[in-house]
Amino acid sequence: MITREQYLDFFANALNGMADIVAELGDDLANRRMPLPGANTPYALLNHSVGAIGYWVGEVVSGRPAHRDRDAEFTAEGPVAPLLDRVRDTVIQLSKDIAAAHEDTDSAGALLHVYTDVVQHHGQLQIMRDALVAAA
């Protein structure tokens, strides 16, 4: 069975990996869409992941209202630095929330759901980075 600490380590590695990619791309490329219908920007995808964590871990698991606008997460744009600050704050809060989470099926399901979402988006960002850098 995985421990809370292991879960947090895997989760934080994926989220920080996404943040590293967005930081590497910088303000211009992180806000650029690939030329595909419905494509997201790296910035928006990381912003969405932070929003998803706020909902699934903050609201569903920990009971804090998320006040989430999911649609707006995908159209968000802006300078990278404040988003990276939000990621750091999210990892700190995630650590607290995981430590305090109840060991019930609903919490475990929500934690697994959001982890798989973030890991998938991390892989997506790796591909997006490669394509955006090659096209630049």
Side-chain angles (χ1 to χ4, degrees):
M1 190 60 115
I2 188 171
T3 67
R4 291 172 194 253
E5 293 79 17
Q6 290 169 323
Y7 173 83
L8 176 62
D9 188 49
F10 290 132
F11 202 139
N13 283 339
L15 188 58
N16 287 327
M18 294 175 72
D20 290 346
I21 290 169
V22 169
E24 173 189 335
L25 291 172
D27 290 341
D28 179 45
L29 287 179
N31 285 285
R32 194 175 294 181
R33 293 183 193 285
M34 293 181 17
L36 300 169
N40 295 306
T41 67
Y43 182 101
L45 200 56
L46 180 55
N47 183 64
H48 161 67
S49 294
V50 169
I53 294 166
Y55 173 73
W56 288 101
V57 181
E59 186 166 318
V60 174
V61 173
S62 300
R64 280 188 317 279
H67 308 292
R68 182 180 187 200
D69 183 349
R70 188 177 185 279
D71 291 339
E73 292 169 8
F74 292 104
T75 59
E77 57 185 23
V80 167
L83 180 57
L84 299 179
D85 290 341
R86 286 182 52 219
V87 169
R88 280 188 282 282
D89 293 345
T90 298
V91 171
I92 291 166
Q93 186 62 53
L94 186 61
S95 175
K96 294 174 187 175
D97 289 340
I98 291 169
H102 296 288
E103 293 188 17
D104 61 39
T105 304
D106 292 339
S107 291
L111 290 170
L112 184 58
H113 172 80
V114 72
Y115 170 74
T116 59
D117 192 47
V118 168
V119 170
Q120 289 174 8
H121 289 321
H122 183 207
Q124 185 180 5
L125 267 180
Q126 290 168 329
I127 294 167
M128 291 171 74
R129 174 201 52 213
D130 295 348
L132 288 167
V133 168

